[in-house]
Amino acid sequence: MKKISDLFSRHSRKRILSQSFFLGALATAGVILNAFSLSLKVDAQTPLPIVNNTEIDSYAQAVLAMEPARQNAFEEIKKLIGNGEIPKIVCNDSNSFNGLPKKAQDIAVNYCTRAQKIVADNGLSFDQFNKITLELQNNNMLKRQVYDSLLRLQQTPESR
């Protein structure tokens, strides 16, 4: 009868040791490659900023300045349409005015003209403003920056 020590002969122990070493090396390589892979994903997912802080502040100022005019235009159009649904009005898409009665179209055009002036007065082109608006739909970091800027701009001077 063989002793247990005989089962783990020198040859057998070498083989187990080399297998353990191989599996350990394989596991270590997997961990390193996984960490490297995650690092690459994080770097690749961090977008370059499309907007700088000055543009964010300009955007927020324009939004704040436009809001009262937008609300007034919306209320006027709502009165004209009554219980009907107000279509989405997009200033750079004249087709979005088509579903409105003539007087409501005039209100929308007047609002859009004022909005373009407000955007320009705040240092942005209308294209830049629209680009930021579109980017806000998918970029939570930019949303947060604009939100923070809006909050800061709405603070009363004595609370700053």
Side-chain angles (χ1 to χ4, degrees):
M1 184 153 137
K2 289 189 174 185
K3 293 187 208 172
I4 292 180
S5 62
D6 292 342
L7 293 174
F8 291 106
S9 67
R10 188 173 188 94
H11 176 66
S12 178
R13 284 186 293 219
K14 269 187 172 179
R15 192 182 63 168
I16 291 172
L17 187 61
S18 67
Q19 285 176 345
S20 296
F21 178 74
F22 176 73
L23 290 174
L26 193 59
T28 303
V31 169
I32 291 170
L33 287 174
N34 192 30
F36 182 70
S37 163
L38 290 175
S39 168
L40 286 177
K41 286 179 187 172
V42 169
D43 289 343
Q45 291 172 353
T46 305
L48 295 175
I50 65 151
V51 184
N52 63 40
N53 290 339
T54 302
E55 290 171 320
I56 290 170
D57 286 344
S58 295
Y59 181 87
Q61 289 169 339
V63 167
L64 287 174
M66 279 191 291
E67 187 56 20
R70 188 198 65 77
Q71 287 179 356
N72 287 338
F74 182 81
E75 288 302 318
E76 288 181 46
I77 292 171
K78 191 172 164 184
K79 286 178 191 173
L80 290 171
I81 292 179
N83 290 335
E85 187 176 327
I86 299 174
K88 184 176 179 180
I89 298 170
V90 180
C91 287
N92 61 345
D93 179 10
S94 59
N95 291 330
S96 69
F97 304 163
N98 291 344
L100 298 171
K102 174 70 173 120
K103 183 140 175 77
Q105 286 181 9
D106 293 342
I107 293 168
V109 169
N110 184 32
Y111 163 73
C112 288
T113 302
R114 286 191 310 200
Q116 285 178 323
K117 183 176 178 348
I118 290 169
V119 168
D121 289 348
N122 283 284
L124 295 173
S125 71
F126 213 61
D127 284 343
Q128 284 173 299
F129 184 87
N130 288 336
K131 180 176 103 177
I132 294 170
T133 301
L134 289 174
E135 184 65 23
L136 282 170
Q137 296 172 9
N138 302 314
N139 186 330
N140 288 331
M141 188 171 83
L142 181 58
K143 271 184 202 172
R144 180 45 125 180
Q145 290 172 310
V146 169
Y147 178 79
D148 289 345
S149 184
L150 286 166
L151 287 177
R152 188 174 28 73
L153 291 170
Q154 292 180 82
Q155 290 177 345
T156 56
E158 57 273 3
S159 68
R160 284 187 197 174

